[in-house]
Amino acid sequence: MGGNLVAAIVVVVLAAALGGAVYAAIRLRGRRAIATAAQRATYDVLHIAALAAEPLQAGLTEAAAGKAIRHLRTLTGAAGIAVTDPQRVLAFDGTGDHHREQIATAATKAVTAGRSTVLGSDELPCDLVDCPVRGAVVVPLAQREGALVALSDGPPAPGLVQATAETARWVGTQLALAELDTSRARLARAEVRALRAQISPHFIYNALTAIASFVRTDPELARELILEFAEFTRYSFRAHGEFTTLAEELRSIDRYLTIERARFGERLQVRLQIAPEVLPVTLPFLCLQPLVENAVRHGLSRKPGMGTISIVARDAGAECHITVEDDGVGMDPAALLRPDDSTDAGQHVGLRNVDDRLRSVFGDGFGVVVETALDAGTKVSMRVPKFHPGVRSGA
């Protein structure tokens, strides 16, 4: 039994490395369609591992451990099992709950030393005459976040030791993925802050200068521009929500373009083609506005005469396709490939920022596509799925 279980757990680790593809394929076939006992065992272990993985995506918390603990005991085949942090037991399942204090002490020592420990019955003294616990296996989790402790009703067998070690390694992988997701979220927030910082120096100065020029000649227009500017900055610097709707983003862009049209007058023409069906689509906050600003700043402001910006959002089934295009001076495509500390590349930090955030949220198939050349304008395209797990507007 122990050997088969260890082999099955190794399959679980491989399946996790393959992004769950093995588990998905087996599940589609259905348990009843699996012919051999080994295949059925593999299916069962993968299914149990998937049930344990979901709560662990929240990290090593008491709630997550409580939801996963029963499935972890099934994976190891232990009489009782505990998940701990470096100081205390977070969750327990099975036989031996009255050994919590001893489990916590053993786990703290194992985490501090950074190595697994096998305990005998003399190291788990008990006043209960009929206590079935005769040993335990204590394995620290990755990065010493805690430990997995498996209790046995006899001297810990090699199979239990190996099964506990492999399960602890798998749990550590899930916790590392949870930390990666948290780091990505922190990075996304940092990138939004970077975009906000990028907006403030050049646009705010130009906006206030344009408004000042109308204070005496056209006070009513100046008042309107001040209100638009206030609403634009309120949206751009809002403190909540990593996501917004396309409708909200377009509303902010309209305010931005109102101010820019006051600066450029008839030189700046804007064309909109928005399918009503895609207005509720959720996308990363400040994802579209930097593309429009880039079109004005790097395209039309350097072009003599009139320039046009086109913003198109189309319904494409399960996706929304968005393009921002200008007929300005364009750019050297090689400039987009230069390192971030390059002077030319730094001018297009907004494009790279948006591309990174789209890929981080939706996957590598959803970055921006830039079509440009010197004196040929610039077209920036993006695809946004209408529905994506974990993406919800905070607007």
Side-chain angles (χ1 to χ4, degrees):
M1 173 66 182
N4 290 337
L5 190 56
V6 172
I9 291 172
V10 172
V11 175
V12 172
V13 175
L14 291 174
L18 293 173
V22 175
Y23 166 69
I26 293 176
R27 189 174 186 183
L28 286 174
R29 291 176 58 191
R31 190 181 187 279
R32 293 182 179 179
I34 298 174
T36 69
Q39 288 174 331
R40 283 194 296 271
T42 299
Y43 172 88
D44 289 339
V45 173
L46 288 171
H47 180 62
I48 293 167
L51 294 175
E54 185 174 352
L56 291 174
Q57 291 172 1
L60 189 61
T61 65
E62 190 169 357
K67 293 178 181 178
I69 190 70
R70 178 170 58 90
H71 306 300
L72 296 178
R73 185 164 79 92
T74 303
L75 286 175
T76 61
I81 195 164
V83 174
T84 80
D85 65 14
Q87 287 82 37
R88 64 192 180 97
V89 174
L90 296 176
F92 187 93
D93 186 70
T95 302
D97 188 32
H98 56 284
H99 284 281
R100 276 180 178 255
E101 187 174 341
Q102 295 167 331
I103 290 171
T105 300
T108 299
K109 291 180 180 179
V111 170
T112 302
R115 62 175 180 269
S116 303
T117 305
V118 178
L119 306 178
S121 57
D122 57 331
E123 296 170 282
L124 294 168
C126 185
D127 295 333
L128 298 179
V129 177
D130 58 348
C131 177
V133 176
R134 294 292 181 267
V137 181
V138 187
V139 182
L141 299 176
Q143 300 177 347
R144 301 187 183 183
E145 295 182 70
L148 186 68
V149 183
L151 304 180
S152 64
D153 51 10
L160 179 63
V161 174
Q162 293 177 344
T164 306
E166 290 297 335
T167 302
R169 184 184 303 175
W170 177 81
V171 170
T173 300
Q174 303 309 307
L175 296 176
L177 292 174
E179 177 59 29
L180 178 61
D181 288 341
T182 301
S183 299
R184 284 177 175 172
R186 285 196 292 262
L187 178 60
R189 290 192 291 270
E191 288 175 334
V192 170
R193 288 194 293 270
L195 278 178
R196 287 168 173 161
Q198 182 195 9
I199 290 171
S200 55
H202 60 272
F203 173 69
I204 291 179
Y205 173 81
N206 291 334
L208 293 176
T209 300
I211 293 170
S213 68
F214 291 106
V215 168
R216 290 188 178 181
T217 59
D218 194 339
E220 186 60 30
L221 177 58
R223 178 179 178 279
E224 179 185 339
L225 292 175
I226 289 174
L227 294 176
E228 295 286 0
F229 178 73
E231 287 299 311
F232 173 80
T233 54
R234 181 190 65 82
Y235 174 80
S236 298
F237 294 98
R238 74 178 191 181
H240 66 281
E242 297 179 29
F243 303 100
T244 188
T245 63
L246 178 59
E248 285 292 321
E249 193 83 349
L250 289 173
R251 193 172 293 118
S252 177
I253 288 170
D254 181 62
R255 296 181 182 116
Y256 166 78
L257 290 173
T258 296
I259 297 170
E260 292 292 51
R261 278 193 292 261
R263 288 180 56 208
F264 292 103
E266 295 298 322
R267 285 185 57 204
L268 176 57
Q269 300 294 314
V270 179
R271 295 176 181 171
L272 291 175
Q273 184 181 341
I274 311 297
E277 297 84 357
V278 299
L279 289 175
V281 169
T282 300
L283 66 165
F285 177 63
L286 283 184
C287 188
L288 188 56
Q289 190 275 337
L291 306 184
V292 177
E293 185 177 357
N294 188 77
V296 174
R297 184 183 179 191
H298 301 298
L300 303 181
S301 65
R302 302 176 184 178
K303 175 184 177 181
M306 183 181 296
T308 302
I309 293 177
S310 298
I311 304 173
V312 178
R314 295 188 177 92
D315 185 0
E319 297 178 350
C320 169
H321 293 180
I322 303 172
T323 60
V324 177
E325 185 173 6
D326 68 73
D327 58 358
V329 298
M331 66 181 84
D332 181 1
L336 298 173
L337 303 176
R338 292 171 188 160
D340 290 345
D341 55 358
S342 164
T343 302
D344 291 338
Q347 294 177 345
H348 308 295
V349 64
L351 288 174
R352 185 170 287 113
N353 187 302
V354 171
D355 181 69
D356 289 344
R357 288 195 294 140
L358 285 172
R359 293 177 187 275
S360 175
V361 172
F362 299 124
D364 285 337
F366 291 92
V368 300
V369 176
V370 181
E371 302 172 53
T372 188
L374 293 175
D375 299 320
T378 301
K379 180 179 180 180
V380 182
S381 306
M382 68 170 73
R383 296 161 44 234
V384 178
K386 289 182 179 178
F387 305 100
H388 192 78
V391 176
R392 185 172 58 241
S393 170

